[in-house]
Amino acid sequence: DADVTQTPRNRITKTGKRIMLECSQTKGHDRMYWYRQDPGLGLRLIYYSFDVKDINKGEISDGYSVSRQAQAKFSLSLESAIPNQTALYFCATSQGVQPQHFGDGTRLSIL
Amino acid sequence: SQQGEEDPQALSIQEGENATMNCSYKTSINNLQWYRQNSGRGLVHLILIRSNEREKHSGRLRVTLDTSKKSSSLLITASRAADTASYFCATENSGGSNYKLTFGKGTLLTVNP
């Protein structure tokens, strides 16, 4: 089983819909992150959480919100999806300042 | 904004050859990391080099860091078709109170059999 699991793996939806992407981990790591990847732009940080009561905005948080429901779960929401949020979304975890471990991503298409 | 910039954007070599990818960054760092991404998969951590280190090895990987030039290189020796992937550098910037990584745009490496 994967240590960092993202659901769904693929999602197609329409403009204006609310969407939630979920991430769960079995590694017991305290820190969790959400990134988006666009062709030619690399990964950009959306939100990160250092523990259950800690949520921080990243580089591109506008239009997104997150919830850290438990140490093992970190969800990303798009309240009203727009086409330029079409991208590949990755969740990652780390224990303290150790290197990050990534899930296999959610491919999101907004029509 | 991107911190690391990889060069070249794409590299195509024959199996058995060495592959060198470069990363430049703009601000002071605590460490620099290299990650690999196979098509359709998440990133996998390869190696971390701290700001007070100049060179590090891991198997067929060799990473160098030149903080005076704000640059790093990743060398993969005796490449294999399975090394085909995108490679990203990521920096942990110094001076902040939070640990965050800033990723570059990546180098797409193709190793031809």
Side-chain angles (χ1 to χ4, degrees):
Chain A
D1 288 339
D3 295 323
V4 182
T5 303
Q6 292 184 234
T7 57
R9 290 296 315 279
N10 294 280
R11 178 80 183 271
I12 300 173
T13 192
K14 295 181 179 179
T15 298
K17 293 290 188 181
R18 184 178 187 274
I19 302 159
M20 180 180 288
L21 309 183
E22 299 188 357
C23 177
S24 62
Q25 52 128 341
T26 58
K27 300 186 76 66
H29 288 171
D30 55 356
R31 301 183 178 192
M32 298 187 75
Y33 311 81
W34 275 106
Y35 294 91
R36 69 177 276 177
Q37 184 177 32
D38 298 274
L41 292 181
L43 274 75
R44 292 181 290 169
L45 183 62
I46 305 172
Y47 271 95
Y48 60 103
S49 168
F50 284 175
D51 64 43
V52 175
K53 296 181 180 179
D54 177 78
I55 301 289
N56 302 281
K57 292 183 177 180
E59 184 184 346
I60 51 164
S61 59
D62 287 349
Y64 301 95
S65 62
V66 290
S67 174
R68 186 83 183 264
Q69 301 96 319
Q71 188 191 31
K73 295 184 182 298
F74 192 38
S75 60
L76 175 72
S77 294
L78 288 68
E79 296 302 325
S80 180
I82 55 177
N84 74 2
Q85 291 177 312
T86 292
L88 189 53
Y89 290 84
F90 286 102
C91 174
T93 72
S94 71
Q95 181 58 39
V97 298
Q98 297 303 311
Q100 294 180 16
H101 296 255
F102 285 77
D104 279 337
T106 293
R107 188 170 298 277
L108 179 62
S109 297
I110 299 164
L111 306 178
Chain B
S1 60
Q2 306 301 131
Q3 160 75 315
E5 291 287 340
E6 290 90 344
D7 170 60
Q9 290 185 336
L11 178 61
S12 181
I13 60 174
Q14 295 300 122
E15 210 166 21
E17 294 179 340
N18 296 340
T20 300
M21 288 159 273
N22 303 297
C23 172
S24 60
Y25 58 91
K26 298 173 184 175
T27 63
S28 297
I29 61 172
N30 290 330
N31 66 67
L32 185 145
Q33 303 176 30
W34 285 91
Y35 288 78
R36 183 188 74 225
Q37 183 182 31
N38 290 90
S39 181
R41 303 299 299 274
L43 279 72
V44 174
H45 178 258
L46 295 176
I47 197 164
L48 180 153
I49 186 164
R50 293 183 171 78
S51 60
N52 62 352
E53 297 176 311
R54 292 297 169 256
E55 187 171 314
K56 207 161 183 182
H57 296 256
S58 177
R60 294 184 294 113
L61 305 181
R62 172 178 171 256
V63 169
T64 62
L65 180 64
D66 186 335
T67 53
S68 68
K69 295 181 179 179
K70 291 186 169 59
S71 67
S72 173
S73 66
L74 170 67
L75 168 68
I76 303 174
T77 60
S79 64
R80 305 166 182 168
D83 294 327
T84 294
S86 292
Y87 291 82
F88 295 88
C89 68
T91 54
E92 182 200 347
N93 303 331
S94 62
S97 59
N98 293 327
Y99 169 72
K100 293 184 295 182
L101 292 181
T102 305
F103 286 83
K105 298 177 183 180
T107 292
L108 175 60
L109 172 66
T110 302
V111 181
N112 302 299

